């Protein structure tokens, strides 16, 4: 058994024992209540799901196994001469709860290199799609087309013991994560580089090699990619991409089926697609105003026009957060150090000055602050990646780390099929009537 698998197995076994005892003693303890608003309003804030890799606090933002983003930046290993955390380190942390050493991260980089061979049939499946198909659709198809290599599906078909589900899930997770950068880069080069592929450089780390395969030589871009792939990896379990992976996986669909579904959720404009929408929206503003340096007043007028036309301001608002997203703040700090002169970056910062008071003045927006998607596009563009339809794919490569680490835990803890209760409006009306008569 490899080092990471052994460590995960030991942690998971101890955890499963504790969980069993907790359920035996406290299984009936009430944790939450549900209102009519929550049933109709997208199940906001209902505590009803187990998710080990990370936990979100509305005021403070995300913590991965207890560590905030600034703490991760301090504690996780970096590339040689680099300053940004390596996503390998975050995956190790999410899976085991331990901050890895440099040697452990190096081991993981090498393990992913060894597993990174992508079957040719995957490229053929992608090539069968019209080239103008959205990159997220191509990505989802690429992931799905690897499902025939699922260790979980193969072992399930031959009838394996449920105590071994975690093992096959771990194998699929490691293989999938190892292959994703190549699949994602293939799609980028297919669509935007006339099919000219850059082959992997196996001397690089996972994120650095992804940047390399996308055709970017700049060390700054590689560093940004490491930061990007770390901070987008997980945001507890209730967000649409994580929840989708969890739900699909709960039917014992294997990690390929689950991740492909998760990517389809990430591809929605209220979720991951917002990073492309932010840049589309800013570029339209810049084109309309005829300047790459809009003033605060010009931005405010443009924001009001967008709202008046019944559209949202992309990159702002959040279903859970109630403060500026620390993932936005981390990218702002990176931009201050590396791209402070860039017009687009400066426009993103001016939008940050302008949008929150306007959204607050509407009186209905619960969180007027920027989310993770408000800043990423400006930095990608700074390094020359101007194909904004592709941005969500990079988010997806990162998100795989969190949702698949969570799937390993779900199978190790033997979590059951997810099946919440739904009701009809007539049922709610009847319930309200009954409660009124009872009072
Ligand atoms: N611009 C304009 N209006 C907004 C808004 C925004 N950025 N954010 C929220 N609102 C509106 C909602 O549309 C809703 O209006 P109605 O009552 O007329 O339907 C009202 O304010 C209340 O919404 P909320 O409770 O504050 O927010 P939700 O939990 O319903 O939605 C989110 C959260 C992210 C979908 C929403 O803020 C939004 O649409 N933001 C823009 C898209 C975006 O940036 N998404 C990325 C989120 C991060 C990610 O998942 O990647």
């Amino acid at each position: 058994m490899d080092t990471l698998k052994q460590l995960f197995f030991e942690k998971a076994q101890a955890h499963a024992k504790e969980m069993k005892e907790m359920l035996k003693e406290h299984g009936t303890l009430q944790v939450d209540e549900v209102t009519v608003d929550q049933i109709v309003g997208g199940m906001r804030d209902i505590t009803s799901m187990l998710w080990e890799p990370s936990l979100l606090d509305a005021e403070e933002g995300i913590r991965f196994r207890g560590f905030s983003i600034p703490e991760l930046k301090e504690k996780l290993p970096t590339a040689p001469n680099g300053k940004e955390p390596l996503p390998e380190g975050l995956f190790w942390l999410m899976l085991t709860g331990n901050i890895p050493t440099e040697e452990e991260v190096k081991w993981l980089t090498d393990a992913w290199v060894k597993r990174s061979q992508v079957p040719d049939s995957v490229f053929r499946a992608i090539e069968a799609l019209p080239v103008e198909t959205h990159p997220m659709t191509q990505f989802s198809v690429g992931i799905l087309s690897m499902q025939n290599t699922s260790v979980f599906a193969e072992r399930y078909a031959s009838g394996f013991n449920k105590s071994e589900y975690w093992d096959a899930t771990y194998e699929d997770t490691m293989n999938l994560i190892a292959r994703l950068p190549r699949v994602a880069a293939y799609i980028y080069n297919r669509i935007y580089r006339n099919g000219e592929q850059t082959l992997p450089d196996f001397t690089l780390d996972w994120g650095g090699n992804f940047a390399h395969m996308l055709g970017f030589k700049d060390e700054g871009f590689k560093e940004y990619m490491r930061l990007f792939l770390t901070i987008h990896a997980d945001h507890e379990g209730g967000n649409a991409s994580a929840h989708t992976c969890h739900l699909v996986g709960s039917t014992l669909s294997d990690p390929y089926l689950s991740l492909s579904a998760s990517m389809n959720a990430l591809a929605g404009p209220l979720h991951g697609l917002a990073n492309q929408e932010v840049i589309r929206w800013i570029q339209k503003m810049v084109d309309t105003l005829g300047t790459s340096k809009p003033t605060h007043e010009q931005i405010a007028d443009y924001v009001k026009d967008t709202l008046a036309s019944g559209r949202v301001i992309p990159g702002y608002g959040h279903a859970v957060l109630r403060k500026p997203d620390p993932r936005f703040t981390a990218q702002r700090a990176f931009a201050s150090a590396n791209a402070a002169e860039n017009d687009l970056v400066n426009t993103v910062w001016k939008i940050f000055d302008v949008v929150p008071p306007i959204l607050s003045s509407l009186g209905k927006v619960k969180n007027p602050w920027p989310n993770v998607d408000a800043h990423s596009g400006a930095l990608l563009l700074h390094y020359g990646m101007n194909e904004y339809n592709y941005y969500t794919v990079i988010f997806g490569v990162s998100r795989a780390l969190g949702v698949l680490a969570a799937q390993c835990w779900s199978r190790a803890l033997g979590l059951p099929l997810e099946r919440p209760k739904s009701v009809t409006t007539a049922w709610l009306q009847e319930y309200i009537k009954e409660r009124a008569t009872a009072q």
Side-chain angles (χ1 to χ4, degrees), residues 44 269-272 274 307 311-319 322 327 359 362 364-367 371-373 395:
R44 293 291 184 285
L270 296 188
H271 191 16
L307 293 171
R311 287 175 293 149
V312 294
I313 307 301
Y316 280 76
H318 199 272
R322 296 296 175 254
R327 300 170 299 174
L359 286 183
L362 299 179
K364 64 173 184 177
V365 181
K366 296 197 189 67
N367 176 41
N371 58 54
V372 66
D373 299 314
F395 192 159

Side-chain angles (χ1 to χ4, degrees), residues 326-365:
R327 300 170 299 174
F328 173 85
T329 313
Q331 293 178 90
R332 195 170 60 146
F334 185 93
S336 295
N338 298 288
E341 303 304 318
N342 182 290
D343 280 353
L344 189 58
V345 164
N346 279 280
T347 301
V348 165
W349 295 349
K350 281 186 203 159
I351 294 170
F352 179 40
D353 296 334
V354 167
V355 167
I358 298 178
L359 286 183
S360 293
S361 73
L362 299 179
K364 64 173 184 177
V365 181

Side-chain angles (χ1 to χ4, degrees), residues 18 32 67 70 81 88 117 122 126 134 161 164 178 184 237 243 269 314 333 340 364 385 432:
E18 263 177 39
D32 213 343
F67 295 100
N81 307 318
E88 286 92 324
Q117 182 73 33
V122 175
I126 293 169
H134 193 279
N161 193 306
E164 290 164 29
H243 191 186
K364 64 173 184 177
M385 181 181 269
I432 292 164

Side-chain angles (χ1 to χ4, degrees), residues 182 189 197-202 209 212-213:
R182 175 88 170 99
N189 292 321
Q197 300 294 333
T198 306
L199 292 175
D201 176 349
F202 293 131
N209 186 32
H212 161 80
M213 287 188 286

